[in-house]
Amino acid sequence: MTLSRPTMAAIRFGYGLKPGDENAPASAADLMKQVERGAKAKARFPREGFEGRRETALRLLSVRAAEAKTAQAGKPNPDLRRDTLREADRMLRRDSFARIMQAVYSHNGFFERLASFWIDHFSVNARKTYAMRMIVSLFEAEAIRPNIGGPFVNLLHAAVLHPAMLFYLDQNRSVGPESQAGLRNGTGLNENLGRELLELHTMGAGSGYTQEDVRGAALILTGVTVDGRTLAVGYRRARAEPGRLSLLGKVYGEEGRSDADHVAMLDDLAKRPETARHVCRKLVKYFIADEPPAEIVEAMVAAWTASDGNLTAVYQAMLDHPRAWDGEGQKFKQPFDFVVSGLRALDVKEADMTALAKALDDEDAEVPLRPDEAEDGDDMVQAEKPGPRGADMGRPDAAASAEDGAASDIKKSATKAAAPKPGFARAVTFGALRRMGQPVWQPPSPAGFADDAQAWLSPSQLSERIAWARLAVRGLGKDLDPAAFLSTTLADAARPDTTKIVAQAPNKVHGLTMVLVSPEFNRR
Amino acid sequence: MDASNDFRLSRRGFLASACCLAAMPVMTPVSFAAAPGDARFVTIILRGAMDGLDLLQPYGDAAYAGLRPKLALTPDTGLTDLDGRFGLHPAAKSLMPLWQARELAFVHAVSTPYRNERSHFDGQDILESGGADKRERNGWLNRALATIPRTASRRAIDINTSMELILSGPNDVDVWSAQSDVALAEDEVRFLERLYAGDQSFSKAFEEAVRTDMSTDPLYAGGKRGSGVADMAKLAGNLLARDYRIGSFSINGWDTHVNQKAQFAQVAGTLALAITTLKESMGADAWSKTVVLAMTEFGRTARENGSGGTDHGTGGVAVLAGGAVDGGKIFGEWPGLGEDQLYEGRDLMPTGDLRELAAAMIHKQYGVSVGDLTTKVFPGLSFDAGSVYLRG
């Protein structure tokens, strides 16, 4: 059975159907228009805009630097450290919420999916360092999103040379061993960025480069640094490895080393055929099937080659391929996609979401930091990062902190002013994503989140989704009729069995819940 | 007397508490309203179509045992005899002290005006909206609030999206929910199994989730489900002992198409626990002024089906409990279970209107006029002060 184009356009290539959406895409052409519009649209994060966020971040960083100095002199100020940490955590929470809102309310679903693809392709983790909490949203908004529809090489430069990426992959710790700084301090090379550049960002693992190439890429990158106080990305000759450096048979720095070398390297890597194949295959895997059909990949690689890596042409080639529109249900939605498409299906009014966001803000203003959001430390331990089957999937009892706002005395509680619903706001948005193993902007590794059904379709994942659906339906879907909800949510993707079972459900909440946890809602 | 200080509760539906979603998978909300005076009225909606013939078994009817070879009990096999004709299901035995104290009554063969289609959604809509028209979108208990003569000023409006239909509407209602959760009901688990039957990966994952987490996971802790409902009842009891006079909550799990014996025993035990917990937490004084009305959208087929269960029917049973109930008796005109006595040859014939029962209880508790009850609360209802439900 082949589903209708509008259904496939919304479910496979977007964040699902939203009732009454007049902008719902009906064709490949509509989806391509979304790419064009999306790249020009302003994202909902960071909340203060690019300049505003830089200012805030710089202010907080300098406050903390000043404190660090007085601390060294024996006068630490723990209150200030705590307060500034809270402020950064708050920004991350708000931005995380805004990222979900962005996906829910955008009319450019295909563009939003692409943004999720690329932020994952160029993974950074918002909890890596203090500053990262504030700048990862900036990274997505200024480096990724504006470059999604252009030449791949532009996106590569913007992403790899952004402060967020440089912090995340430890570029400041990488010093040319033979450079002035290296010789003076005995510090050395950190291969992290060089390795991920080849393995993840461009050519892909197993594409033929060697360990020598990894080292070469890392050496060529030496000298590139990011200032921890000003967030300025610069080139410091004293840290750059001198001499002729080679990568994949090409020599860089022939006429003396300069900041032109790593720029040229990125240009060259963007042009490699391995890069085209790696990225195209990953796109097909992301959108269409865990085992990407080769003919779609080939068509996209051809478009890449013909257009010199123009991503719009590559997406167009994917959508133009007939096989991109059949074989539905092979992909299992990642948690972010599940939650976003669920909120879209429930047609949550923007005003209601704004009220939830406000409840979170108000709570931020008075409630102390919860233990689960306590400082991670400035260097994350790999093993503790969340993942699809990570420790986060456990089901802790309502923690002691869970009793915020609960009252042991009824009278006191009953006379309280109308309480906001921050707990609910969290639980249906980023809190749910943490529980499902996909916290916003916190991938488990530089390779990003897993993207195949095997990684996600587990008993605990299913339980989390059922719990989320019941909560969301109770809180947001009370007036919906299950049969009508099924048809606006899944259209012709609803199987006859599901239609029948949902209509027979013993109560409405369960009927609506079953729509959201049905196989066809969780697949695409 | 003051039982409130030993439990915690959170306001307005959701997770005041929690970042932890699955720690609280289902907040079945309890809705409340204030009213002047001391009389209390609590409704419990039994969602999924409670089998009245199983809860209150007409063992004295000659046709009964033949219709239900697997399900029918007698006083010799565990049924608690009530009046020589009807017996109470053993799982609800803890209600017997209330029966003996004349604080418990049953109404047999009642139903809403809903007929023939037997859809849970429509049936529950009519049960809660009280209108023969299923498009009525506010609840009869909310409409009743407007008719109760008020002396005190109204409470602040506190609209919560999770309110159930029966108390939804223009009049002020608060929603609270207990800290603990109510797990998926057995019938809900069965429906999910059916939903996943056609998808092997889902089916396997769900089966494993249910199997491994049955005892510990709040979502599937079917065996412990009662404690979540009891917490809800305790919360309701405590609040009704104080500021509130009217409350409502639901108990799911009654859609017993298969293996009814085990499933019904569990959920009937939960209902009994909810009622006894309400009484306990309310305290003797408040309980003495209380009427609890437990009701369902429709009954189930008079005959067992081939899977040891029963299917959607028509006439059912309502339960009345509380110190203000004229208890120790079974109301309702018994239509009989003979072939020609069944509705459409399959269901218990309804001989009473659930709306009349509800109207009678509101009239009894709050003195709401017959005129208001038959025009504003249940428009078009035939009801007067001589109603059978009001005769002492």
Side-chain angles (χ1 to χ4, degrees):
Chain A
M1 184 182 87
T2 302
L3 299 183
S4 71
R5 286 251 160 168
T7 302
M8 286 296 263
I11 293 178
R12 171 172 284 176
F13 296 108
Y15 280 115
L17 291 160
K18 191 164 184 289
D21 184 1
E22 286 163 10
N23 298 290
S27 63
D30 289 349
L31 293 173
M32 292 310 298
K33 276 183 216 136
Q34 294 185 344
V35 176
E36 201 183 324
R37 284 199 305 262
K40 290 180 197 145
K42 183 174 170 293
R44 292 170 186 244
F45 51 85
R47 274 213 200 162
E48 320 93 285
F50 300 170
E51 288 315 308
R53 173 52 56 89
R54 276 182 193 273
E55 277 169 32
T56 322
L58 295 192
R59 176 176 59 77
L60 286 168
L61 286 169
S62 76
V63 168
R64 279 172 77 93
E67 192 277 339
K69 223 172 207 172
T70 54
Q72 263 181 349
K75 287 185 185 165
N77 184 346
D79 286 355
L80 188 137
R81 286 195 69 78
R82 193 200 57 224
D83 291 348
T84 49
L85 178 65
R86 274 180 59 180
E87 200 169 338
D89 272 327
R90 199 172 294 154
M91 269 184 260
L92 175 57
R93 267 205 302 278
R94 288 176 187 181
D95 288 341
S96 300
F97 192 86
R99 183 172 206 279
I100 296 167
M101 297 267 282
Q102 173 74 32
V104 171
Y105 294 108
S106 170
H107 293 304
N108 306 314
F110 183 49
F111 177 83
E112 295 298 331
R113 290 283 312 286
L114 285 165
S116 293
F117 173 84
W118 287 113
I119 191 73
D120 193 74
H121 183 80
F122 293 109
S123 269
V124 296
N125 190 310
R127 289 186 178 269
K128 166 90 175 180
T129 67
Y130 177 75
M132 289 291 272
R133 287 163 165 80
M134 301 181 281
I135 64 170
V136 167
S137 59
L138 192 62
F139 170 69
E140 178 172 335
E142 71 181 5
I144 303 289
R145 299 175 78 96
N147 294 308
I148 284 175
F152 174 75
V153 66
N154 293 2
L155 179 58
L156 183 68
H157 278 279
V160 171
L161 299 176
H162 193 275
M165 185 64 79
L166 299 176
F167 283 132
Y168 181 54
L169 293 178
D170 304 314
Q171 180 59 18
N172 278 356
R173 297 187 188 176
S174 188
V175 176
E178 304 294 325
S179 69
Q180 280 175 35
L183 292 170
R184 192 172 58 235
N185 305 329
T187 45
L189 192 66
N190 184 310
E191 293 179 355
N192 238 354
L193 183 58
R195 176 181 307 282
E196 306 307 13
L197 176 64
L198 296 181
E199 179 181 323
L200 302 172
H201 303 156
T202 60
M203 296 171 65
S207 59
Y209 61 85
T210 64
Q211 170 56 30
E212 276 313 299
D213 293 319
V214 169
R215 188 175 163 80
L219 287 170
I220 293 164
L221 284 162
T222 56
V224 177
T225 55
V226 54
D227 188 305
R229 290 276 298 280
T230 66
L231 301 180
V233 175
Y235 182 76
R236 290 162 70 180
R237 187 174 300 277
R239 295 164 67 99
E241 181 74 358
R244 300 168 76 250
L245 303 171
S246 77
L247 170 68
L248 298 161
K250 181 175 168 181
V251 174
Y252 296 82
E254 187 96 61
E255 334 244 304
R257 291 271 285 125
S258 78
D259 60 356
D261 298 331
H262 66 269
V263 171
M265 171 179 70
L266 292 177
D267 287 346
D268 292 337
L269 286 171
K271 285 196 196 101
R272 302 280 309 191
E274 296 92 338
T275 299
R277 186 161 301 276
H278 175 220
V279 171
C280 292
R281 191 170 190 283
K282 212 172 150 186
L283 277 164
V284 178
K285 188 177 175 213
Y286 177 76
F287 282 105
I288 297 167
D290 288 349
E291 285 302 324
E295 64 255 51
I296 311 180
V297 177
E298 293 311 323
M300 292 163 71
V301 169
W304 181 299
T305 311
S307 69
D308 211 5
N310 187 305
L311 292 170
T312 292
V314 173
Y315 309 144
Q316 181 82 58
M318 174 172 74
L319 297 179
D320 283 346
H321 200 285
R323 284 211 55 190
W325 298 86
D326 66 20
E328 77 277 4
Q330 296 181 51
K331 290 296 298 179
F332 183 74
K333 284 181 186 171
Q334 293 182 22
F336 183 85
D337 302 48
F338 169 73
V339 166
V340 167
S341 56
L343 293 172
R344 284 174 62 83
L346 288 165
D347 199 16
V348 185
K349 295 293 171 254
E350 196 158 351
D352 293 339
M353 284 301 267
T354 307
L356 290 181
K358 177 152 191 329
L360 282 171
D361 284 359
D362 294 348
E363 182 199 44
D364 280 345
E366 55 192 55
V367 176
L369 202 63
R370 293 192 318 282
D372 64 303
E373 307 211 331
E375 187 161 13
D376 290 338
D378 276 7
D379 282 299
M380 279 186 320
V381 181
Q382 190 90 13
E384 287 177 0
K385 291 176 195 168
R389 291 163 194 268
D392 248 24
M393 295 303 288
R395 292 167 172 268
D397 291 322
S401 65
E403 281 150 18
D404 296 347
S408 51
D409 178 68
I410 293 175
K411 263 196 170 155
K412 187 174 148 220
S413 186
T415 51
K416 251 178 158 177
K421 306 178 209 170
F424 178 67
R426 262 199 305 280
V428 291
T429 58
F430 55 84
L433 290 175
R434 182 182 307 139
R435 292 195 58 83
M436 292 177 194
Q438 195 171 35
V440 177
W441 290 314
Q442 294 161 63
S445 80
F449 288 103
D451 182 34
D452 52 340
Q454 208 186 340
W456 292 110
L457 211 181
S458 67
S460 62
Q461 180 69 217
L462 194 53
S463 298
E464 292 294 345
R465 292 189 183 197
I466 294 168
W468 182 89
R470 300 183 92 195
L471 183 75
V473 160
R474 274 207 185 281
L476 306 166
K478 72 161 179 165
D479 287 333
L480 299 168
D481 172 74
F485 181 61
L486 178 68
S487 109
T488 56
T489 299
L490 285 164
D492 52 321
R495 300 172 307 165
D497 275 2
T498 299
T499 307
K500 191 170 132 204
I501 292 163
V502 163
Q504 293 170 344
N507 54 73
K508 275 192 183 175
V509 168
H510 199 55
L512 298 169
T513 298
M514 286 198 290
V515 173
L516 295 178
V517 301
S518 65
E520 54 267 57
F521 186 78
N522 286 270
R523 295 179 177 280
R524 52 161 57 117
Chain B
M1 190 67 222
D2 183 356
S4 68
N5 288 326
D6 64 340
F7 81 106
R8 292 182 173 275
L9 48 89
S10 67
R11 187 118 206 239
R12 303 178 84 226
F14 299 104
L15 319 180
S17 60
C19 53
C20 312
L21 170 56
M24 320 201 121
V26 184
M27 313 291 290
T28 301
V30 191
S31 310
F32 296 95
D38 284 338
R40 273 89 167 168
F41 184 51
V42 183
T43 56
I44 304 176
I45 301 173
L46 310 174
R47 293 185 194 274
M50 189 266 279
D51 185 16
L53 291 174
D54 206 348
L55 183 71
L56 188 62
Q57 301 197 11
Y59 76 93
D61 191 302
Y64 182 62
L67 289 169
R68 298 189 158 202
K70 287 193 185 127
L71 296 173
L73 298 171
T74 67
D76 294 334
T77 53
L79 206 61
T80 308
D81 175 54
L82 296 180
D83 66 353
R85 299 178 303 153
F86 294 99
L88 186 63
H89 191 283
K93 206 174 175 179
S94 61
L95 292 176
M96 283 313 289
L98 273 72
W99 175 263
Q100 277 133 16
R102 299 184 160 278
E103 294 177 349
L104 180 70
F106 297 91
V107 185
H108 226 315
V110 281
S111 77
T112 68
Y114 181 61
R115 291 289 180 279
N116 302 339
E117 289 172 48
R118 303 183 180 92
S119 145
H120 292 297
F121 307 148
D122 293 346
Q124 288 167 32
D125 268 1
I126 288 172
L127 177 70
E128 294 177 79
S129 67
D133 181 352
K134 67 182 186 181
R135 279 162 305 203
E136 185 77 63
R137 287 313 298 175
N138 55 42
W140 57 259
L141 194 49
N142 190 284
R143 295 196 299 273
L145 292 178
T147 66
I148 296 171
R150 286 175 186 237
T151 47
S153 63
R154 293 188 173 197
R155 300 178 61 83
I157 292 183
D158 183 356
I159 301 298
N160 188 297
T161 50
S162 72
M163 193 179 301
E164 297 187 315
L165 178 57
I166 189 167
L167 260 173
S168 299
N171 298 293
D172 308 352
V173 171
D174 291 352
V175 176
W176 297 69
S177 64
Q179 280 277 357
S180 60
D181 317 309
V182 180
L184 281 168
E186 274 292 313
D187 58 359
E188 293 168 339
V189 172
R190 297 284 94 78
F191 268 85
L192 285 167
E193 282 168 359
R194 285 176 60 199
L195 182 70
Y196 295 141
D199 189 309
Q200 216 185 349
S201 317
F202 273 79
S203 186
K204 204 167 140 258
F206 185 65
E207 192 190 306
E208 205 177 311
V210 172
R211 192 176 58 231
T212 54
D213 292 350
M214 210 41 155
S215 55
T216 54
D217 190 313
L219 192 58
Y220 306 110
K224 292 198 218 150
R225 207 173 158 262
S227 67
V229 172
D231 281 352
M232 205 159 70
K234 189 172 176 184
L235 164 83
N238 276 278
L239 290 170
L240 287 159
R242 295 169 172 247
D243 301 337
Y244 294 99
R245 294 297 172 262
I246 289 172
S248 182
F249 59 91
S250 300
I251 297 176
N252 294 346
W254 301 94
D255 199 18
T256 47
H257 289 282
V258 291
N259 186 22
Q260 175 164 326
K261 210 166 181 83
Q263 209 179 313
F264 189 86
Q266 189 184 90
V267 73
T270 301
L271 170 62
L273 181 63
I275 293 173
T276 53
T277 306
L278 260 178
K279 172 176 180 171
E280 206 175 289
S281 55
M282 221 179 252
D285 186 48
W287 180 254
S288 72
K289 293 154 187 152
T290 294
V291 170
V292 178
L293 168 59
M295 59 199 173
T296 191
E297 67 264 33
F298 42 72
R300 307 189 72 84
T301 47
R303 284 180 198 84
E304 275 174 22
N305 62 25
S307 324
T310 52
D311 301 316
H312 301 180
T314 309
V317 162
V319 182
L320 291 167
V325 165
D326 178 21
K329 58 170 90 167
I330 295 168
F331 294 93
E333 185 192 329
W334 181 244
L337 292 172
E339 188 70 46
D340 53 342
Q341 294 167 314
L342 295 177
Y343 178 72
E344 293 189 340
R346 49 171 276 167
D347 303 341
L348 181 65
M349 174 74 75
T351 58
D353 189 331
L354 248 178
R355 297 173 305 164
E356 184 189 348
L357 175 62
M361 294 305 118
I362 296 168
H363 179 75
K364 176 185 167 85
Q365 289 299 82
Y366 302 105
V368 173
S369 72
V370 169
D372 277 354
L373 285 167
T374 55
T375 57
K376 294 176 184 164
V377 182
F378 296 109
L381 176 69
S382 160
F383 166 78
D384 61 55
S387 166
V388 62
Y389 304 119
L390 292 172
R391 275 175 228 149

